[in-house]
Amino acid sequence: MKNALLKTLSVTLLIGLLLTACGGSAPATKPAEQPTTAATEAPASATEAPAATEAPAAASGGTLTLGVAIEPETLDPGDAVFVQEQFILMNLFDSLLSVAPDGSLHPGLAESWEPNAEFSEFTFKLRQDVTFHDDTPFKADAVKASFDHIVSDAVLESGGKSLLQDHKYVETVVVDDYTVTIKFGDSYPLFLRDAGRQWLGISSPTALEKSGADYGRNPVGTGPFKFVEWTAQSQIVIERNPDYKWGPEFATHQGPALLDQVVFRILPEAATRLTAFETGEILIASEPPALDAVAMVEAGKASLQNFAQPGIPAILMINTTKAPTDDINVRKAMILAVNQDELAKTAFQSLGLPAYSVVSPSTWGYDEKAAEMYRYNLEEAKSLLEKSGWVDSNGDGIREKNGEKLTIDWPDNPAWSEAFNELLMGYLKEAGFDVNYRSMDDGAAYEELLAGNYTLVYMYWTRPDPSPLRSLFHSENNNGGGAWANFVNADLDTALADASTNTDENARKADYAKAQQVIMENALALPMFTVNTSYLTAPAVQGFGFDLEGYPFLYDISIAK
């Protein structure tokens, strides 16, 4: 099931502190000049709570076993959307460029790059020493085949397809074996950053043709690890690519990865992952329960790795075309009824960070004015509902109007929201809402969204800038395209479209500020908390680090013996 929800990161159970970003190395080969955009801004950084015990010396080799919450839907980078896919894809595939943790651009499969003056065409000079895992030589035709695959009818929707279509992708032109030009119908000032994303990873053209519709289960890239096997609902295994010699220059080592093998264990329950970690069955546990994780760190049994993620925080998009949330007073009352500060602290203990707008505070372009519009005020929420005729006529705490209950319909996979959904529903019920939370898997939830059978949609999106707002709130994406609020506003559409194409950083920032204000003024989403990625790591795990968006960088990890 391809899910236009675009949940690019799974719900995490810990919120890290926002610190200054760490530095990165300068490119060995100077790239073409580029505009100063959000792509050059410093990201939110990672924090580590070290174990009390002294870690042993690192050594290469061995198998790293990780416990992850959600099974991928595909390992085809051109067809992927979710975090569980991106985390694995970044190890199997390389992209044209590499983006360091500090946001700087570096060579990837391309040695150099040159945009035209309008930033609508980008020419890349490619490495000539790269081979795919199936021994296919990497050349310009592989770039063309990969981009053509992303925009083909074989891919219904994906992160990569959204990036390309939103910027009017035209074509990829093979200039010669090691030169390629990628063309767009609009200015795309952030393409150089996006050219380093997992969604635009380069696939073997031989494997794409050979596997066809089954390519997502038979991925072939050029990355530091090769795909071995995928046992459904159990695990995915990848192994070191011994021929790898084109790692990013900002890595702590060059050549093949240090690990022999990585096993991603599919363990949906956080408690199960924690138990597996405690028994040594896994060496890294993703999204651990907050209290247990802190306790293990304090006992010196583990290290806790946190990353404050930029982009769109955890929000509930509100359907503006379905009663009762077609009434702005009802939407505003929902936001005012939720105590974000208490919600974050209760769900995530002392590490919780509340969110009050649709852009995370750690993100370039964050607008303080939009974030100041709402704070918890239960009495004001009740007053707005009464103003719109919603009253508790039966004395049962649930408001009614014309014989209809004030019902909120929330189809959702609890794997995404287990940390907070009961708390959230409690706040809404206190204001008089009847919350119909319908637990189901992602596929069933998506079908309900397409049918319009929803009030709320849980969403977040990790990105170093506010650009996902266009996918989530521009009316071109209404009615099943990802803009689940289904709201139409000319000012909002104009701001989001201009922000996507303007090469002037200040103008783009002003457009994003305008967009955030319109979204919050019209109560199109209920902000909750800033999403983080977090991992418990055993003392034997050495060299743990995050990339720009909070994915663990497995290439540099080793296991102490």
Side-chain angles (χ1 to χ4, degrees):
M1 182 277 298
K2 292 313 301 165
N3 195 332
L5 290 175
L6 298 177
K7 293 175 181 170
T8 58
L9 283 176
S10 61
V11 175
T12 57
L13 305 184
L14 291 166
I15 303 297
L17 299 176
L18 303 179
L19 303 179
T20 56
C22 55
S25 59
T29 57
K30 186 177 185 295
E33 292 297 320
Q34 55 184 302
T36 302
T37 68
T40 62
E41 295 291 321
S45 70
T47 68
E48 176 182 353
T53 56
E54 183 177 351
S60 62
T63 296
L64 177 67
T65 304
L66 303 97
V68 296
I70 307 292
E71 184 172 21
E73 294 182 7
T74 181
L75 291 180
D76 173 358
D79 199 28
V81 170
F82 299 118
V83 59
Q84 61 269 25
E85 296 157 352
Q86 294 189 74
F87 186 10
I88 301 174
L89 290 171
M90 66 185 289
N91 300 288
L92 299 175
F93 293 87
D94 295 309
S95 300
L96 289 171
L97 301 181
S98 295
V99 184
D102 68 351
S104 58
L105 293 176
H106 297 256
L109 292 176
E111 294 180 328
S112 62
W113 52 96
E114 182 74 48
N116 66 357
E118 294 77 26
F119 287 86
S120 60
E121 295 185 8
F122 303 82
T123 298
F124 297 88
K125 293 290 185 179
L126 308 179
R127 293 184 66 117
Q128 301 186 28
D129 59 348
V130 178
T131 303
F132 287 98
H133 301 154
D134 61 0
D135 295 326
T136 299
F138 167 69
K139 295 183 179 180
D141 65 322
V143 180
K144 178 174 174 56
S146 296
F147 277 69
D148 287 352
H149 167 65
I150 293 171
V151 298
S152 71
D153 293 339
V155 175
L156 296 180
E157 55 187 352
S158 70
K161 193 161 192 170
S162 176
L163 288 174
L164 298 182
Q165 288 185 337
D166 283 354
H167 295 90
K168 300 180 181 178
Y169 171 78
V170 176
E171 62 177 337
T172 297
V173 177
V174 174
V175 180
D176 57 45
D177 278 354
Y178 296 103
T179 308
V180 65
T181 297
I182 300 173
K183 299 182 178 182
F184 297 89
D186 266 345
S187 294
Y188 189 174
L190 286 180
F191 177 66
L192 292 178
R193 177 189 290 281
D194 288 340
R197 294 172 67 83
Q198 298 94 326
W199 287 340
L200 299 183
I202 306 303
S203 292
S204 162
T206 303
L208 280 173
E209 183 176 356
K210 177 181 178 181
S211 296
D214 295 327
Y215 180 65
R217 292 274 175 164
N218 300 278
V220 179
T222 63
F225 293 91
K226 300 190 292 185
F227 174 76
V228 176
E229 65 178 12
W230 182 348
T231 304
Q233 300 180 354
S234 177
Q235 65 182 28
I236 293 173
V237 181
I238 61 178
E239 66 181 11
R240 176 168 51 195
N241 175 9
D243 301 321
Y244 195 71
K245 56 183 179 182
W246 43 87
E249 58 198 10
F250 52 82
T252 61
H253 83 285
Q254 294 297 307
L258 302 178
L259 296 165
D260 291 326
Q261 190 177 74
V262 180
V263 179
F264 297 87
R265 289 283 312 280
I266 314 301
L267 303 171
E269 299 296 329
T272 304
R273 295 193 299 278
L274 185 67
T275 299
F277 182 84
E278 291 176 316
T279 61
E281 183 181 343
I282 60 176
L283 293 178
I284 297 180
S286 68
E287 305 163 23
L291 275 177
D292 297 306
V294 171
M296 291 193 71
V297 171
E298 291 176 346
K301 297 178 180 179
S303 293
L304 177 60
Q305 319 285 350
N306 287 328
F307 187 94
Q309 297 172 348
I312 311 304
I315 63 174
L316 287 165
M317 299 179 72
I318 306 173
N319 189 349
T320 65
T321 60
K322 181 181 179 180
T325 50
D326 55 347
D327 181 346
I328 191 172
N329 285 340
V330 173
R331 301 197 300 271
K332 288 183 175 181
M334 293 177 69
I335 301 174
L336 291 166
V338 176
N339 186 333
Q340 285 94 340
D341 183 64
E342 185 179 77
L343 173 69
K345 289 180 179 178
T346 302
F348 309 114
Q349 306 307 311
S350 61
L351 302 175
L353 287 177
Y356 298 103
S357 184
V358 290
V359 172
S360 172
S362 60
T363 309
W364 175 90
Y366 169 76
D367 183 64
E368 187 68 39
K369 182 178 179 181
E372 292 175 347
M373 292 185 187
Y374 302 89
R375 287 298 184 273
Y376 172 63
N377 190 325
L378 182 59
E379 293 308 311
E380 186 177 353
K382 292 178 177 180
S383 177
L384 285 172
L385 292 174
E386 290 171 1
K387 182 178 180 180
S388 288
W390 294 100
V391 296
D392 180 11
S393 57
N394 295 326
D396 59 359
I398 302 301
R399 295 176 181 271
E400 296 182 346
K401 178 180 174 181
N402 300 326
E404 296 290 333
K405 290 184 176 181
L406 183 59
T407 299
I408 300 301
D409 185 22
W410 183 8
D412 184 62
N413 183 345
W416 299 108
S417 61
E418 63 179 345
F420 67 89
N421 55 29
E422 291 187 5
L423 290 167
L424 189 284
M425 289 186 284
Y427 286 121
L428 295 178
K429 288 178 181 178
E430 191 173 359
F433 288 92
D434 171 37
V435 183
N436 180 28
Y437 181 86
R438 293 189 285 141
S439 176
M440 58 189 70
D441 63 26
D442 282 329
Y446 182 53
E447 292 302 319
E448 289 298 280
L449 299 189
L450 289 179
N453 299 327
Y454 69 93
T455 305
L456 298 178
V457 179
Y458 177 46
M459 174 67 59
Y460 57 92
W461 195 328
T462 298
R463 194 75 185 274
D465 59 74
S467 58
L469 291 177
R470 177 167 182 168
S471 294
L472 298 179
F473 293 102
H474 195 293
S475 65
E476 67 190 358
N477 298 314
N478 286 357
N479 302 313
W484 300 109
N486 294 318
F487 186 71
V488 179
N489 180 282
D491 290 340
L492 178 58
D493 285 351
T494 297
L496 291 174
D498 287 349
S500 294
T501 59
N502 205 316
T503 59
D504 183 288
E505 181 190 76
N506 291 329
R508 291 179 60 244
K509 194 170 187 178
D511 283 333
Y512 281 131
K514 175 67 174 178
Q516 291 167 68
Q517 291 168 26
V518 172
I519 290 167
M520 295 310 300
E521 284 169 354
N522 289 280
L524 306 186
L526 195 169
M528 293 182 291
F529 52 86
T530 298
V531 176
N532 272 36
T533 184
S534 59
Y535 296 85
L536 272 180
T537 61
V541 176
Q542 303 295 294
F544 188 100
F546 289 105
D547 76 351
L548 177 68
E549 296 187 351
Y551 296 106
F553 194 53
L554 299 185
Y555 175 62
D556 275 340
I557 287 181
S558 62
I559 300 174
K561 295 183 179 179

